[in-house]
Amino acid sequence: MGRRTPRKGDIYRHFKGKKYRILDLAVCTETGEDMVIFETTDGTRRVYASFMESFLSALDAGKYPHADQKYRFELWRDDRMSPSAALKKHGNTTSLILEFLDLDDHERRIRFLQKHRAQIDSRFLTAAAESLGFTDNSDTVEERYDALIRFLKTKAKYEAAPH
């Protein structure tokens, strides 16, 4: 194979765009083949298992000519979070926080978060969560973002004004 073995906690991007978190590695009891156990990062908590060879396999360019990846799953690297990018973004985060705090309903907050996903960092998520009285113990920025979206969707659903 020649590719790096996935590790617990890694985020991989499927060639169709969704991201998945590696939960663990396993061995198939039927065949003895190595397997990858992974879950969605979109908050739905769906868990999947794939044979390692299949997980790390190259895409069939003939079958998927417009895919922007060489492999079925690729380790997701968020280049926006490089040290130089983080320094450039710091000032922008403050203005994003102020914009978010000015929003007056949960639906607008959800749309704002979705629109600015690429710019949202840990600092922003901490300020946004505190402003809403929301507490979350997730580890990664992605998990915290997903948890905040779920929280706002729940609030929007149950705090909607009666018709």
Side-chain angles (χ1 to χ4, degrees), residues 19-161:
K19 294 183 189 96
Y20 299 88
R21 177 174 300 99
I22 305 301
L23 295 176
D24 220 330
L25 302 181
V27 177
C28 178
T29 59
E30 302 294 320
T31 66
E33 292 177 79
D34 290 330
M35 298 188 78
V36 181
I37 311 301
F38 54 102
E39 71 177 347
T40 57
T41 61
D42 63 7
T44 60
R45 296 288 199 191
R46 298 225 25 189
V47 176
Y48 299 92
S50 177
F51 289 110
M52 180 79 68
E53 186 175 337
S54 176
F55 187 89
L56 295 175
S57 67
L59 275 180
D60 179 343
K63 190 173 179 182
Y64 301 104
H66 301 294
D68 62 354
Q69 289 184 189
K70 181 178 178 181
Y71 297 98
R72 218 173 131 225
F73 286 92
E74 291 185 2
L75 185 61
W76 184 60
R77 298 183 199 282
D78 188 352
D79 295 331
R80 296 170 303 214
M81 294 312 293
S82 68
S84 60
L87 286 174
K88 290 177 192 171
K89 185 167 62 170
H90 184 72
N92 192 27
T93 302
T94 301
S95 64
L96 283 177
I97 291 168
L98 294 174
E99 281 183 64
F100 182 82
L101 294 175
D102 283 340
L103 298 173
D104 57 3
D105 72 52
H106 301 308
E107 292 294 337
R108 285 191 177 117
R109 290 179 184 119
I110 292 166
R111 286 192 303 274
F112 180 89
L113 291 172
Q114 292 167 336
K115 178 181 176 185
H116 296 284
R117 175 63 188 111
Q119 300 158 302
I120 291 174
D121 61 9
S122 180
R123 183 172 171 260
F124 175 93
L125 290 170
T126 298
E130 287 177 0
S131 75
L132 297 166
F134 174 62
T135 304
D136 181 61
N137 297 323
S138 298
D139 293 328
T140 68
V141 170
E142 180 114 1
E143 289 171 336
R144 292 177 62 202
Y145 172 85
D146 290 341
L148 185 58
I149 291 286
R150 283 192 308 274
F151 172 78
L152 286 169
K153 286 181 177 179
T154 301
K155 296 281 273 183
K157 180 177 179 179
Y158 293 105
E159 291 181 3

